[in-house]
Each structure stands twice: as C-alpha cells, then as structure tokens.
Amino acid sequence: MRMLDIIHTKREGGQLSPEQLQFFVDGVVDGSIPEYQTSALLMAIFNNGMTDEEQTELTMLMMKSGTHLDLAKIPGIKVDKHSTGGVGDKVSLPLAAMVAAVGIPVPMISGRGLGHTGGTLDKLEAIPGYRVELSESEFINQVATEGLAIVGATGEVAPADKKIYALRDVTDTVDSIPLIASSIMSKKIASGTDALVIDVKTGAGAFMKRLEDSEALAKALVKIGQQAGLQCEAIISDMNQPLGRKIGNALEIEETIDCLKGHGPADLMEVVYTLGSHMVVFGRKASDLATARQLLEQTIADGSALAKFKAMVVAQGGDGRVIDDYKVMPQAKYQIDYPASKAGVITQMLADEIGMASMVLGGGRAKASDQLDYSVGIELNKKLGDSVQAGETILTIYANREDVSDAIKLLDQSIQIGEHAEVPPLVYEVIK
Ligand code: URA
C-alpha cells in the first residue's frame, strides 16, 4: 500500500477503506509516514470530509494505538462527561461531585486549557497539593472507593491522536468535524467509561461559533460513541458569554464550592442540572430526567455533593480546608473594578475576549509550556441583558500587577452597552 494513493483517494473525494486507515494510523505512530504526507491527507480530509464509517474507523484505530483502561473492577455503570471547552466553564467540577453523590461512579479524565479556554486540571491545581497525575491503579481504586476522580490522561492514551493533533495545529486543519470528533472520541473511548454526556459549546467563545457546525459536531460525536458501544448523548449549550460569574483558576474553584453549597449562579447550575440529569438516567438511578434532576438537587440540599468534592480533593492530596477557606488558594494582589462607560443594558459580552483577558493576566496559556498564575482572573458583576448605571462596576479584574491595560483593551472589545439585548438560550438542544 502507498500513502500517495491514500492521499489521492481522499483528495478526489473518495472513501478510505479500513485497511487504508489502518496503514495511515500505523505509519503515523511508527513514524514511517513522513509528516508532509500526513499533513497532505489531513488537508484532504479537511476539504472533503469523511463518511460516518470512515470517522468511526479512524476513531477506533486511534483509540487502539494506545492504552485502554479497564474499569471492570469498579462496580456500577461508569458515566463521564466531556466539554468542547469554553470560558468560565467549570461545569465538570460540581457536576462530577453531584453525580457521584447520587451513587454513580464518575471516572473523569480531563484536559488543560489552551488559549482563551480554561482547563479542568488547571483549575484543580489551584488547590494546594492536588495531584492530577494518578497511576492507573490509583485512579481505579479512587473511583471504586470515593465514587469519583478527576485526573489527566493515565498512560499513553491515543498516541496517534497526539501526533495528528500536533500537525493539525500547524497546518490549519484543527476545525474539521471528522478530525475533531475522532480526536475527542478516541481518548474518551480509551478511558473505559460506559456512558458519556458531551457538552458541545456554541458561540463566540466556542470552537464552533455557528449553531449548525456545533450540531454537526455533536451528531458526529454521538454517532461515534454509540457505534463504539457507549451510551452517548450531547447537549448544545451557549458560549457567547462566559458561564457563571468567575473566570480564572482559583476563582472557578471558589465558584464550584459555592455551587455545591447551594449558591451557584443560575446559568451555571442550569447547565450542570441539564447534563447531570442525562448522566443520572444513563447510570440507571432514575428512569426520567425530572426525577434525575430531583436526585441531583437533593445532593446539594443534604451536603452530600460538597462532601464528595472534599473527599476527592483530599484523596488526591489537595488541601481540604479549601471548602471553608478559599484563601488557602493563591490570592491576587490587586482587585481592579471595570466600570460602565454609560448607562444602559449589556448588549454584548464576548466570551473569547474575556477568556483572552484572563489569559493575558496569567490565568491561561498562549502556548503549552506557559506557567499559570492561579490567583488571577475576572469576576462578572453583570451579564448580558443586565442594566447598568454609568460608572457602575461591570466586572472586577484580579491581577498581580497594577497596569492591566492589556486586559482592559480586550474587555473594551468584548463589552458593549446599548438599549436592547438579545440573550441567547442557555441550552439549544439535545442530540441523541
Ligand atoms: N479536543 C480534542 O481533544 N481534539 C480536538 O481535535 C479538539 C478538541
């Protein structure tokens, strides 16, 4: 078989056979296919797409290129959640604790943030001592005993994806639906979960800015998951403005704990309950979404979700005092208010610019090797559709330097005040 023929087939809009895809993935992993040929095929896939069969086959081959976790030792139906990423999106943190408190094992393998989006692992590392790198056996034992663990990838998960992703990043082929879907699902299937609920974000701060692209991605993800034998559903939720009120690593842990104490912002809690209800039904603790939601609400009311979160933090080496004292996490030296330039209604609050503002303060990474400042970020006092008076605080910047003009420039681009706001729906649809 020749890589040139494989590239030609896809360049001409043809369908690749399982054998051709196998040859490609093997050659990527063992280095026998040069990067220029892999890049050419990626561009051909970007331009001509893939059929459902090709997409699923590529996913399974990338999944099999690395380790596959066997979670059979953990009793019960294991349910995980994945998000395509956003700003202020700390949903995984309260959600994992609440679903675990209902009695469903949650083996969550999460990622780090890049660019304007935050990463669950980075947020957890704001808690002194928290270890995101557990061995496979530590991870399995913790899910079996505590009911949940949130960790980085254990072992060599989908090495083919790692190599392909690095090339996509430098060949402008990241935003291809079959390539994104196979990349995400190869790692999720390798994690050994029985069921998966995916939060596909849409809007200014999301990977997919247009609803129809988010729908197409959600459908591809769900189809691959189901063909791989997982129970799998996706919701499409809004990422035009940030989710919740706090953006930044330690700030998002604070908001997580506030949620678990019953004081979470309404928009964030709505996304948590929507995703969580599907997870609870998948985990067979309720037969319908309304009952599932009641069970989740109960975990907040009786403190069991908060206790689960604390148990996970302590089991992973973190300082459990964080539950009652947020000051055990790094604190920013300066709090700088950003006032409204005039009276009116917030008509625009672009999530990507706010994520970038948090990033330039040190809360996110422009490149993978950047060090984070866990203490910095942004707290929103107003959201889309809220009224403001001239001079009233729209948000507060948490920084470790007095001059935050770079962040303010981004905030000026993000926020607009006018007369009438179009507030987008929080949850657009469920893809089954
Ligand atoms: N996340 C992934 O893991 N892969 C992609 O291609 C995009 C987002």
Side-chain angles (χ1 to χ4, degrees), residues 117-136:
T117 63
T120 301
L121 299 181
D122 298 325
K123 294 168 198 176
L124 283 166
E125 282 180 342
I127 304 172
Y130 192 96
R131 284 197 306 137
V132 299
E133 281 171 25
L134 299 191
S135 70
E136 193 172 317

Side-chain angles (χ1 to χ4, degrees), residues 112-115 122 169 362 364-374:
R112 297 197 179 276
L114 190 62
D122 298 325
D169 216 14
R365 293 185 189 83
K367 52 185 188 311
S369 57
D370 286 352
Q371 288 296 315
L372 295 183
D373 181 343
Y374 296 111

Side-chain angles (χ1 to χ4, degrees), residues 70-115:
D70 180 1
L71 303 184
K73 267 202 242 151
I74 306 167
I77 300 168
K78 276 72 70 183
V79 187
D80 192 3
K81 170 257 176 186
H82 178 81
S83 164
T84 58
V87 179
D89 179 9
K90 73 283 291 167
V91 169
S92 288
L93 296 166
L95 178 66
M98 290 160 69
V99 172
V102 171
I104 296 167
V106 182
M108 194 175 272
I109 296 185
S110 292
R112 297 197 179 276
L114 190 62

Side-chain angles (χ1 to χ4, degrees), residues 161 165 168 174 179-180 183-184 187 207:
D161 173 65
Y165 193 89
R168 285 168 58 205
V174 169
L179 294 178
I180 297 175
S183 166
I184 292 174
K187 290 173 286 201
F207 235 126

